[in-house]
Amino acid sequence: MTATSTPATAAETSEENWLRLDRQICFSLHAASRAFNGVYRVILKELGLTYPQYLVMLVLWEEGELPVKKLGEHLRLDSGTLSPLLKRLESAGLVRRERSTRDERSVVVRPTEEGTALRERALRVPRRIAGATGFGVEEIRELRERLDRLTAALDSAAVEADVEGEPGR
């Protein structure tokens, strides 16, 4: 138990309460995600980007150039979701897609000069998002680390469930 937690009451731990919406971690994460998307929507409007497009640009600013498959792995997106995003970014002049010269089955994505220049304007985004949370830098770092651990645990659980097979199948 942490210093900030309080002992659970019998009513809070009863199985009847497990199905209450306000007890679901998945719903808390979903609500936080939607709230983040709302803040990002306003902030990113100045850059002419949607939140998913911003994520694509973050990876490309970091990596420079990537095959679409690797980009999808970074973002945890399949090609069916990623392709329309890339098409819109390409139409906006921010990225270029080209067939790989080493492997014609692979498409490589890179930021254009305009896409690279957008990075300067995007430098203000993280600070504005942090300000919107009301959290300090250390709180944000701790939350990110906990969420990364949660993601890893859930990925592991999903793999185990896949291997074991779902009950009733």
Side-chain angles (χ1 to χ4, degrees):
M1 184 181 315
T2 65
T4 57
S5 65
T6 57
T9 65
E12 289 174 323
T13 58
S14 79
E15 285 189 32
E16 271 307 302
N17 284 320
W18 288 4
L19 294 179
R20 288 179 47 106
L21 182 62
D22 63 355
R23 304 267 196 231
Q24 306 302 310
I25 188 172
C26 58
F27 184 72
S28 294
L29 287 167
H30 172 74
S33 178
R34 289 185 55 84
F36 259 119
N37 286 339
V39 173
Y40 271 107
R41 188 177 310 110
V42 171
I43 293 172
L44 293 175
K45 189 174 187 178
E46 298 168 15
L47 300 178
L49 295 174
T50 64
Y51 178 67
Q53 291 170 342
Y54 174 68
L55 295 180
V56 168
M57 295 308 297
L58 286 174
V59 174
L60 293 176
W61 290 329
E62 188 175 331
E63 300 291 331
E65 172 183 305
L66 280 175
V68 171
K69 183 176 180 173
K70 287 284 185 201
L71 181 60
E73 289 171 8
H74 277 279
L75 297 171
R76 302 174 69 105
L77 294 174
D78 61 43
S79 62
T81 303
L82 192 53
S83 290
L85 276 172
L86 294 174
K87 194 176 215 175
R88 285 191 295 275
L89 286 168
E90 190 171 40
S91 293
L94 299 175
V95 303
R96 179 171 293 117
R97 294 180 296 171
E98 297 172 348
R99 291 251 169 239
S100 170
T101 54
R102 287 177 277 174
D103 179 1
E104 287 198 13
R105 295 170 297 172
S106 179
V107 174
V108 177
V109 184
R110 69 178 55 87
T112 61
E113 280 186 38
E114 186 179 343
T116 301
L118 185 62
R119 184 180 185 280
E120 274 306 305
R121 292 180 41 218
L123 287 171
R124 295 185 298 267
V125 172
R127 187 176 308 244
R128 291 179 67 191
I129 293 296
T133 68
F135 288 2
V137 173
E138 187 61 22
E139 289 175 295
I140 290 171
R141 184 192 60 75
E142 288 173 3
L143 177 59
R144 192 181 57 247
E145 287 175 1
R146 284 178 179 229
L147 290 171
D148 289 347
R149 284 195 339 252
L150 175 62
T151 300
L154 292 173
D155 283 347
S156 178
V159 168
E160 287 176 21
D162 230 10
V163 169
E164 293 171 8
E166 290 185 27
R169 279 197 162 181

